[in-house]
Amino acid sequence: MPSRPNDRPPGHPGRRRLLGGAGGLAMAAGLTACALPVREPPVPRGRSGAVSVLGVPNERFRPDQPGGFEAFDQEVVAALARQQRRLGVAQPTELPELDLLAISGGGENGAFGAGLLNGWTAHGGRPVFDLVTGVSTGALTAPFAFLGSAWDDKLKAVYTDISPERVAIRRWFTAAIWNDALADTTPLFETISTYLDQQMMAAIAAAYDEGRLLMVASTDIDAQVPVIWNVGAIAKSGHPRALDTVRRILLASAAIPGAFPPVLFDVELDGRPHHEMHVDGGAFAQAFLYPAIVTRSRREALARNRRVAPARAWVIRNGRLDPEWAETSRRTVSIAGRAVSTMISASGYNDVMRIYFSTMRDGIDFNLAYIGPEFDTEYTVPFEQAYMRALYDHAFALARRGFPWTRIPPGAA
């Protein structure tokens, strides 16, 4: 489905190389200005709670809305009630073990999570997840993980048949000044649209009816807050723009600021059109599981030694947790790029630690997977097919034998 002029999908041809593209700023500064990208006015400060993209009451959750994450808690309670009705149990504490999956960002390293999930199927024992969350490349994996092993072949194809040309088109270096990103991600939007079709939307809606939840995060860059999109509720709504909206949500979640164009969502306030500008969910967090408010009643029950439903958290970190050495030249762009990559790496580690300590507090079994130092293949360009296939095969082989999940993150003990 083609995108509209101001809703171009963001992409990702070369994260490291695109960061270095800022070096074109000095050269571009003396060039004649081109037409700059335009947008409708942003939603004014403090008014985000008054707008909606599709008019679906529970389509998303925002901390800058009154009761934003309390609404997330209500959504979880409603989902558990649907599970109770389906299974014929009287209390939430009587539900079978709940399985929660968080899939992080990581660009081409998303091949790790895809291989792990499919290898887990081959090994046996992969659960049907009650909650799946995704950020960036994790958002692209999340619908397949949510729908289960029947979708493994398509998940594999996403990460092993992809190539840089199917992700983004590099723009001229002048885009650093005159455009909204260094690359055009129309190819990524087309790739997403190939897999995310009406059949997948119907399957997501059916899973939502069963009481399972699929959540994807992006970042509202104007408001500087995360937005958690309730993909299952959007699919269930039957709205005529639901499919296109979910495609663009996945695109927004992977829209690395500066490298990929932001995704603009049309909203209306007081009868006037506005644009929300959304970028990579990783701008706020590389991975998330649930807001603290969701487990408040669980914590209170544990404090009183009352029974709670057993639960397991599975966290797939599409990246390493050990430092990655790289020579940094004594140049402004090189130093800045290395600093940015260091901050992203540190953010990913901190997110893992945050989830770990939250699950320990809430009496939830914690399990972590990440790319270990034994995988030493490198890539020459982002989304290099040979690299992604090698990483997929590595993770698949580990999981087929029985993946060695880590119970305590490195540095937490």
Side-chain angles (χ1 to χ4, degrees), residues 9 13 19 56 121 145 162-163 215 264 272 297 306 323 333 381 392 395:
L19 286 172
V56 177
T121 297
I162 199 73
S163 61
M215 305 285 185
L264 302 178
R272 295 186 58 193
S297 60
R306 295 176 181 169
V333 172
V381 295
Y392 174 93

Side-chain angles (χ1 to χ4, degrees), residues 84-256:
Q84 287 176 236
R85 291 193 294 271
R86 178 170 59 88
L87 298 173
V89 300
Q91 299 293 331
T93 55
E94 299 174 13
L95 289 169
E97 191 164 40
L98 300 172
D99 284 287
L100 320 176
L101 173 65
I103 313 173
S104 84
E108 56 281 313
N109 286 333
F112 172 76
L116 188 159
L117 287 164
N118 288 5
W120 197 351
T121 297
H123 175 75
R126 174 177 157 184
V128 175
F129 299 107
D130 300 282
L131 168 68
V132 176
T133 68
V135 177
S136 197
T137 194
L140 305 182
T141 303
F144 300 97
F146 179 69
L147 293 178
S149 301
W151 296 76
D152 281 2
D153 288 344
K154 291 185 177 181
L155 174 59
K156 178 181 179 181
V158 169
Y159 284 98
T160 60
D161 292 348
I162 199 73
S163 61
E165 297 75 21
R166 293 183 62 191
V167 176
I169 303 168
R170 286 179 62 89
R171 291 170 172 164
W172 290 98
F173 66 87
T174 54
I177 291 181
W178 309 123
N179 220 311
D180 56 1
L182 297 174
D184 175 356
T185 52
T186 298
L188 180 58
F189 185 72
E190 293 170 350
T191 298
I192 291 171
S193 300
T194 297
Y195 294 98
L196 181 57
D197 55 14
Q198 289 290 359
Q199 179 188 8
M200 176 174 266
M201 288 286 281
I204 292 171
Y208 179 80
D209 279 340
E210 294 174 357
R212 299 195 291 121
L213 298 175
L214 172 60
M215 305 285 185
V216 167
S218 65
T219 300
D220 182 333
I221 199 67
D222 289 315
Q224 205 174 42
V225 296
V227 177
I228 299 177
W229 298 87
N230 192 356
V231 177
I234 294 172
K236 176 63 180 176
S237 72
H239 194 284
R241 290 193 288 115
L243 176 59
D244 178 63
T245 298
V246 173
R247 287 169 172 170
R248 296 195 304 112
I249 289 169
L250 300 189
L251 196 62
S253 185
I256 301 172

Side-chain angles (χ1 to χ4, degrees), residues 6-75:
N6 286 325
D7 294 337
R8 281 195 312 278
H12 199 322
R15 295 195 316 281
R16 296 174 184 173
R17 187 176 298 176
L18 284 173
L19 286 172
L25 285 172
M27 296 176 63
L31 298 180
T32 303
C34 302
L36 297 174
V38 297
R39 63 176 290 196
E40 298 289 353
V43 177
R45 182 196 301 270
R47 299 297 307 278
S48 62
V51 300
S52 172
V53 175
L54 296 180
V56 177
N58 57 343
E59 70 186 15
R60 57 187 185 169
F61 309 102
R62 307 174 51 118
D64 58 336
Q65 291 182 10
F69 280 165
E70 286 83 353
F72 191 114
D73 181 47
Q74 295 168 10
E75 185 71 12

